Amino acid sequence: MSSWQQYVGVFLLAVVTSVASDNYKELTGNQVWKLNQEDEATVQQLVVDGLVDPLDHSGPSTSLRVTPETAGLVKEVLDQAGITYQVIVQDLARYLRVNDVIQRSQVRKELRAQTCTSSSCTAPLTDNYMTFDQMEYYLAQLNSHPRVSVSSIGKSIEGRDIWIVHINRSGCEGQEPIGMTPRFAYSAMKRRTVWLEGGIHAREWISPAVTLQIIHNITHDCSMGRGLEVYVVPMANPDGYVHTWTNNRLWRKNRRNNPDSSCDGVDLNRNWDFDYGVGASPHPCGETYRGTSAFSEPETQALREAMLQVNSTGTLQMVMAVHSYGQLLLYPYGGPASNPAPYKEKMENLGKLFVNTVNKVHDKTYKIMNANELYPASGTSQDWAKGILKAKYAYTLELRSKKTFVLKPDEILPTGQEVLEGLKMVFLALAREKNTQ
Ligand SMILES: [Zn+2]
C-alpha cells in the first residue's frame, strides 16, 4: 500500500472513530506553536494571564497550545517580546484523532485478555486506560478484600464520588520488613501512614492507571508497604476525567462553572491554602486558575478533610501526588517564598533512592529536583501537606513521558512497574526510620 493510501485509510478510520466518541471536539482549531527562543518570563506571564497552555513539562516551555480565541493576543505579546515561532500543529483535534486511531489499532492487534465490567473487574487494566465507571467497578470488587476498605470522602461538583482506599497493615503481621528489629516492629511504633493522590489533573491518564496498579500490588503482596498504613485516592478529579473521555482529551481542571466567565474549571492543584495565589492564574480561562479562594472546590475540601483525618490517627510520613508528565520527582516548596522546606536534605536523599531504583527498571531517566526549580507553582497539595500537615516527606511525581500527556496504552504496565520498584524501596526505608517527626 502506498503511503497516501495509508494516510487516506487512517483518515477515514479517524472520521468513523470520531463519530463514536469524540473527546477531541473541544480542541478544534487549537494549534501548537513552537517558540524559536526560550523566554520563561514571557511564557509564565502568558500562562498566568490564561492565554496559553504550556506543553513542555520537564523544563521551560517552548511549545504552547493556543486557542482560536487567544491566538491574536498571544501573537501580539510574542511579537512585542521579539519571540519568533512556528505553528507545528494546525488543528490539534485532527492531529490527535489520527494519532489516537493508530494507538487504538495497535491495542486491537494484541490479544486482549483483560476485562473490566460491572460484574467482573478483579484487577486494574494494564493494556488500556480505564473509564471512570471501570475504576468504580474495580474499587467495588476490591472492597471485599479483608485488608482493604474503600469509602467515599465526598462528592465532586457534578456529584461523583471521590474514593479513598485504605490498605490496612493488619493481615500481614509476623512479616516485618527485612532488617527491621523488634524494637521498631509494629507494636512499638506509632502508627505510620502514607498518602498517595492520583488523578487530580484530568488529562494525566497515566496517573490513575499507575495509582490503581500500586493499590493492587500493595493489597496482594504483603512484602510491600509492611509496617505502614497506606491511603490512596486514585481519582481526585472524577468530573474532569470523565470530560477528557467525552469532550476534551486535554482537559486539566475540575468542572466548576465559573460565574461571569466563558471558561469553566478550577485547577485543583492550585486551590490549597499554602502560599495560595502565587504561581497560579487569577483568570478563569487559565489552565492554572486557582479559584475564587483557597479550598473553594468540593474536591479539595474533601481531600483536605480526609488528609486531616488520616493525620490525626498517626504520623503522616509521606505524601505523594502522582502526575504526568516529565519524569521528575519534585519536592517542596513549589512556591518560592518558603524554601527551603524542613527536612529538605532527607527528602532529597529518599527521593534519590526512589529515582535511582526507578531508573534501573526500564532504563528511563527520572530526575529529582525542588519543585520551584521547574516553575513556580503554589497552592498545591504537596506544599500544603508539607507546610500545614508537616508531613516529613512530600513529593509530586511526574510520570512518563517527557513530551506528552497522550501516552500509549502499552506504556501503562512498564510505568507502573518502575514506580512500584521505587516505592518498594521508599516504603522499606520509611518503615525502618527510627524517628518519625
Ligand atoms: Zn498534574
Side-chain angles (χ1 to χ4, degrees):
M1 197 188 285
S2 71
S3 61
W4 73 265
Q5 280 173 313
Q6 268 173 339
Y7 176 78
V8 171
V10 166
F11 183 73
L12 288 176
L13 201 52
V15 171
V16 171
T17 310
S18 68
V19 173
S21 156
D22 189 357
N23 58 347
Y24 305 117
K25 57 190 170 207
E26 287 182 8
L27 294 167
T28 303
N30 282 213
Q31 296 184 331
V32 179
W33 295 7
K34 181 77 184 165
L35 309 185
N36 293 327
Q37 300 105 284
E38 251 181 38
D39 186 334
E40 211 178 338
T42 302
V43 171
Q44 272 306 316
Q45 196 54 50
L46 287 168
V47 173
V48 167
D49 290 344
L51 296 175
V52 299
D53 179 13
L55 294 178
D56 296 310
H57 283 241
S58 46
S61 192
T62 53
S63 303
L64 308 175
R65 179 167 66 88
V66 181
T67 67
E69 293 78 32
T70 59
L73 213 46
V74 177
K75 184 181 182 321
E76 243 174 66
V77 172
L78 293 178
D79 286 348
Q80 267 177 17
I83 303 172
T84 56
Y85 63 90
Q86 296 148 290
V87 179
I88 56 169
V89 176
Q90 290 288 345
D91 184 330
L92 201 52
R94 175 180 286 200
Y95 174 84
L96 287 171
R97 269 185 206 122
V98 169
N99 280 284
D100 193 29
V101 167
I102 294 167
Q103 286 187 22
R104 282 185 206 192
S105 62
Q106 278 172 349
V107 172
R108 266 197 300 270
K109 269 186 218 154
E110 293 158 21
L111 187 61
R112 294 193 52 190
Q114 298 179 331
T115 58
C116 180
T117 63
S118 57
S119 57
S120 170
C121 192
T122 52
L125 299 182
T126 53
D127 65 357
N128 214 343
Y129 293 100
M130 296 168 85
T131 63
F132 180 64
D133 285 348
Q134 288 179 317
M135 290 178 187
E136 291 199 311
Y137 302 152
Y138 169 66
L139 294 175
Q141 286 169 53
L142 182 71
N143 200 25
S144 60
H145 192 284
R147 288 177 60 218
V148 176
S149 69
V150 181
S151 54
S152 172
I153 58 171
K155 301 262 188 195
S156 64
I157 278 195
E158 292 177 351
R160 293 183 179 87
D161 280 304
I162 299 165
W163 297 105
I164 191 167
V165 179
H166 172 204
I167 306 152
N168 203 292
R169 67 187 177 197
S170 65
C172 283
E173 291 95 343
Q175 302 181 52
E176 286 81 9
I178 302 152
M180 183 190 252
T181 63
R183 195 153 55 101
F184 307 118
Y186 310 123
S187 55
M189 287 193 317
K190 200 177 168 193
R191 209 165 161 272
R192 292 174 180 199
T193 57
V194 167
W195 175 280
L196 302 174
E197 168 210 287
I200 203 166
H201 285 147
R203 61 192 176 183
E204 300 166 9
W205 284 11
I206 190 65
S207 161
V210 163
T211 312
L212 288 164
Q213 280 189 67
I214 294 167
I215 290 172
H216 196 69
N217 203 284
I218 300 175
T219 305
H220 293 87
D221 178 359
C222 272
S223 72
M224 189 163 175
R226 282 180 197 154
L228 301 168
E229 300 273 347
V230 183
Y231 293 84
V232 191
V233 173
M235 176 41 69
N237 178 12
D239 298 347
Y241 188 71
V242 169
H243 197 68
T244 63
W245 280 78
T246 55
N247 290 59
N248 182 348
R249 176 63 186 86
L250 294 184
W251 189 258
R252 167 184 168 99
K253 302 183 281 182
N254 75 347
R255 292 298 300 155
R256 161 74 66 192
N257 183 348
N258 293 313
D260 307 322
S261 171
S262 58
C263 297
D264 294 333
V266 169
D267 184 344
L268 297 177
N269 206 34
R270 298 291 185 277
N271 191 238
W272 297 66
D273 196 9
F274 187 81
D275 275 351
Y276 172 79
V278 196
S281 176
H283 301 291
C285 292
E287 289 296 333
T288 59
Y289 177 47
R290 64 197 183 199
T292 50
S293 61
F295 292 121
S296 56
E297 304 310 295
E299 294 89 352
T300 47
Q301 289 167 19
L303 290 164
R304 173 191 61 190
E305 294 310 310
M307 288 173 89
L308 286 169
Q309 171 70 27
V310 166
N311 196 39
S312 71
T313 64
T315 304
L316 192 55
Q317 283 285 87
M318 183 179 81
V319 170
M320 185 182 278
V322 182
H323 289 248
S324 75
Y325 56 92
Q327 294 172 204
L328 298 167
L329 185 68
L330 307 173
Y331 61 86
Y333 291 105
S338 311
N339 280 309
Y343 295 113
K344 173 181 180 287
E345 258 178 45
K346 279 188 174 285
M347 286 193 289
E348 262 179 349
N349 289 339
L350 190 68
K352 277 180 196 157
L353 175 73
F354 178 82
V355 296
N356 290 340
T357 312
V358 168
N359 293 348
K360 280 183 207 144
V361 181
H362 292 297
D363 217 15
K364 291 283 168 185
T365 314
Y366 288 65
K367 284 187 198 156
I368 175 157
M369 66 166 82
N370 180 284
N372 188 52
E373 281 175 50
L374 185 62
Y375 44 75
S378 53
T380 62
S381 62
Q382 165 204 268
D383 280 10
W384 186 82
K386 185 73 195 178
I388 304 295
L389 287 189
K390 314 286 184 206
K392 188 168 178 179
Y393 300 94
Y395 298 104
T396 297
L397 172 61
E398 300 281 357
L399 298 169
R400 294 188 194 185
S401 67
K402 282 194 174 173
K403 47 179 188 181
T404 178
F405 297 109
V406 187
L407 197 62
K408 290 180 184 175
D410 61 9
E411 297 213 47
I412 296 172
L413 189 60
T415 309
Q417 287 166 338
E418 63 203 16
V419 171
L420 275 166
E421 289 306 312
L423 275 184
K424 267 183 201 168
M425 295 299 284
V426 164
F427 284 177
L428 203 55
L430 289 177
R432 280 178 183 167
E433 261 196 353
K434 290 183 191 175
N435 142 31
T436 50
Q437 297 273 337

